[in-house]
Amino acid sequence: MTGEQVYVSHAPPDLEFVQKLFSTVKNLPFGVHIALEEVDSNSTRDRLQSRIADSDILVAVLTERSTDSRWVNQEIGYARAEGIPIFPVYAADRHRGGFIADVEGAPIERDDPSRTIFELLTGLRRHLEPLGPLSVPNWFMRFPCTTDGCPEQVVLEIDAPQSKLWKRHRHGQPLAATCEGCGGTYYFNPATLGFIRRDPPAQ
């Protein structure tokens, strides 16, 4: 699973929330294009449409603020016209109208952000992974070791299905990745893939 592109449509006032929602998702080996981050003085809406056309999925973050956003509605309509799957992340059922009224998505759990990120990852995993009886759900995160003087890259393999990851989260069992160079171990939340802590190499 490399090279896939995810486009995130959202209302401008929701940018900070969207950035938090996707903070760990951006560590996975595919491109994440958050609409407002793509807009600068040299960008146009045509460029964003091109981003959508090149994407494998559009995630629509739907809140009270996005209800009347013509940009969000246009981006959803454009994705649908291009045959690009749409995955809604919504604050309330009433925000899923029009083209995506019956599209399966993830509710925003304000009191349980981990659950929202987990459901987002579940949806992305379902849409982006290869299909077929022999496919194995295999995502990974690669990052540089932070031990002084260690030049190695550490890889966290995410080879368990989402149901098992949620069970590990509930039981407080983090995912772990050990640096092959120095032996330092990194721990991550299995629901959100967020970093928890690092144990230094054994002396």
Side-chain angles (χ1 to χ4, degrees), residues 4 8 12-14 20 27 31 39 47 57 61 70 83 100 108 118 127 129 133 146 161 175 184 189 201:
E4 287 87 351
V8 187
D14 288 329
K20 288 179 181 176
N27 295 326
V39 175
R47 180 171 173 238
I57 187 170
V61 180
R70 67 188 180 106
I100 55 174
I108 296 171
F118 173 79
H127 281 285
E129 281 180 344
T146 58
L175 300 176
N189 183 323

Side-chain angles (χ1 to χ4, degrees), residues 12-27:
D14 288 329
L15 177 61
E16 185 176 347
F17 169 72
V18 169
Q19 289 172 325
K20 288 179 181 176
L21 188 63
F22 280 84
S23 61
T24 58
V25 178
K26 282 188 164 188
N27 295 326

